[in-house]
Amino acid sequence: MRLAVLDIGSNTVHLLMADVRPGGRPLAVTSERAVVRLMRFLTPDGAISTEGVEALRDATTRARDLVAGEHIDEFLATATSAVRGATNGAEVIAMIEEILGTELQVLDGETEARLTFLAVRRWFGWASGNILLFDIGGGSLELATGADELPDVAASVPLGAGRMTVQFLPDDPPGDIAVEALRAHAREVLTPVAERFAAQPRPDHVVGSSKAIRSLARLAGFPAAGWNGSERMLLPRAALGSWIPRLAHIPASARQELPGITPDRTFQIVAGAVVLHTAMELLGAGELEVSPWALREGVLLRYIESMAWDHLGR
């Protein structure tokens, strides 16, 4: 089967098309994304503005047209933090469903964390033991930990890189005072969450997923040898922390010249770095390894799993 997964996130609208079979791994054939940065379109009352709705309309329409040009057996559409939390979310969801001609599954934060954890577990395997996961998007930060395919503890907090940029780092460059205000806010939000995670077994493997973390790993981390000659990226907390004061004084226009910082991440990379560093510190993570798989792969894997059970039942 060929499946399409459309992930309508806070920063991008990302379409992944993959060939799947029961019991097999998904093989990506197409990956397209449109940068929308919905956090910049939130009005004071928490609604997505008219301009933001039009950006979503354009990105969703393009994704629908791309899917129409392929032989797709199933189209799975999901939305996460920005649409979930918008005061006009119901109207936006209805618009998207009308464009796509299919139901939009709006994921709550904990479900988002659990699906991402599933993808990470499948990528790293059972031998990785207890996993602690960090996943930072535009609107929220997801955390999860456990030794199985479903985490024992999963949490989602509104500390996404885009959301925090709008709320705490509106100036360019933001400077030290604004960064410290964001750090204090992140610590306040994360402290009770960290207490829940502290009661869990110490992780054998600490993992980060999402585009923001991949960008930060290319900036402040380093490659290490993986299995079968593959390369994996490691991100030490200390190295990440050393970059934050520098990032806070570099204009957004110049940040894209840095390693790993793409134009669509240049505005919110400082907030992403501060939130991730604070979360790693509070949860006692000195270093993390970057996962190539995240939420979209988790959605695909969950669907493949249901296919496999249906296949066995026949």
Side-chain angles (χ1 to χ4, degrees):
M1 295 179 65
R2 179 160 292 182
L3 302 184
V5 176
L6 184 65
D7 174 16
I8 300 174
S10 301
N11 195 57
T12 62
V13 174
H14 195 150
L15 175 67
L16 174 66
M17 288 186 271
D19 290 334
V20 302
R21 58 184 176 83
R25 62 180 290 175
L27 300 174
V29 293
T30 301
S31 181
E32 296 277 349
R33 63 194 184 98
V35 178
V36 293
R37 291 174 54 212
L38 282 180
M39 290 297 107
R40 62 180 173 163
F41 294 121
L42 287 184
T43 63
D45 67 347
I48 299 173
S49 69
T50 301
E51 188 180 1
V53 171
E54 287 305 309
L56 267 181
R57 185 191 302 276
D58 292 345
T60 305
T61 300
R62 171 166 170 73
R64 178 202 63 194
D65 293 344
L66 287 170
V67 169
E70 298 281 342
H71 175 70
I72 297 296
D73 298 286
E74 191 73 31
F75 189 9
L76 310 174
T78 65
T80 54
S81 177
V83 174
R84 180 175 69 231
T87 55
N88 59 340
E91 293 87 346
V92 173
I93 291 167
M95 178 200 73
I96 293 171
E97 290 182 337
E98 182 178 0
I99 292 170
L100 298 179
T102 189
E103 182 180 357
L104 180 67
Q105 184 181 5
V106 183
L107 304 176
D108 61 65
E110 187 170 314
T111 300
E112 192 176 341
R114 289 177 176 276
L115 287 170
T116 305
F117 189 88
L118 170 64
V120 168
R121 168 61 69 194
R122 293 284 179 88
W123 180 266
F124 287 98
W126 294 107
S128 55
N130 276 288
I131 287 176
L132 172 60
L133 167 68
F134 298 85
D135 183 279
I136 184 166
S140 60
L141 166 70
E142 276 68 51
L143 303 164
T145 188
D148 296 318
E149 290 205 330
L150 293 178
D152 296 319
V153 178
S156 177
V157 289
L159 291 175
R163 189 185 302 277
M164 294 300 95
T165 299
V166 171
Q167 292 183 11
F168 287 91
L169 310 180
D171 295 332
D172 180 29
D176 298 330
I177 295 175
V179 163
E180 289 309 310
L182 171 55
R183 193 188 304 275
H185 173 72
R187 181 177 291 276
E188 180 182 2
V189 172
L190 284 168
T191 294
V193 178
E195 291 172 356
R196 291 173 55 201
F197 279 73
Q200 299 300 308
R202 185 173 182 83
D204 302 300
H205 212 76
V206 181
V207 179
S209 64
S210 78
K211 183 66 164 59
I213 292 179
R214 288 197 295 273
S215 294
L216 290 169
R218 286 195 291 271
L219 174 69
F222 60 94
W227 289 2
N228 300 322
S230 63
E231 187 178 276
R232 57 198 182 103
M233 289 299 298
L234 302 178
L235 176 58
R237 187 179 78 213
L240 175 62
S242 71
W243 264 101
I244 291 174
R246 285 180 275 177
L247 290 172
H249 290 275
I250 299 174
S253 59
R255 288 182 210 135
Q256 61 186 307
E257 304 301 325
L258 298 171
I261 310 301
T262 54
D264 59 303
R265 300 286 161 180
T266 185
F267 288 98
Q268 60 187 49
I269 200 64
V270 184
V274 173
V275 170
L276 178 61
H277 184 267
T278 305
M280 291 178 69
E281 183 180 47
L282 287 175
L283 273 70
E287 181 178 86
L288 61 76
E289 181 174 348
V290 179
S291 169
W293 281 5
L295 176 62
R296 284 172 296 279
E297 288 78 13
V299 173
L300 275 173
L301 289 166
R302 180 58 72 217
Y303 188 87
I304 294 170
E305 184 179 75
S306 67
M307 286 173 55
W309 283 108
D310 290 343
H311 183 75
L312 286 172
R314 286 200 293 268

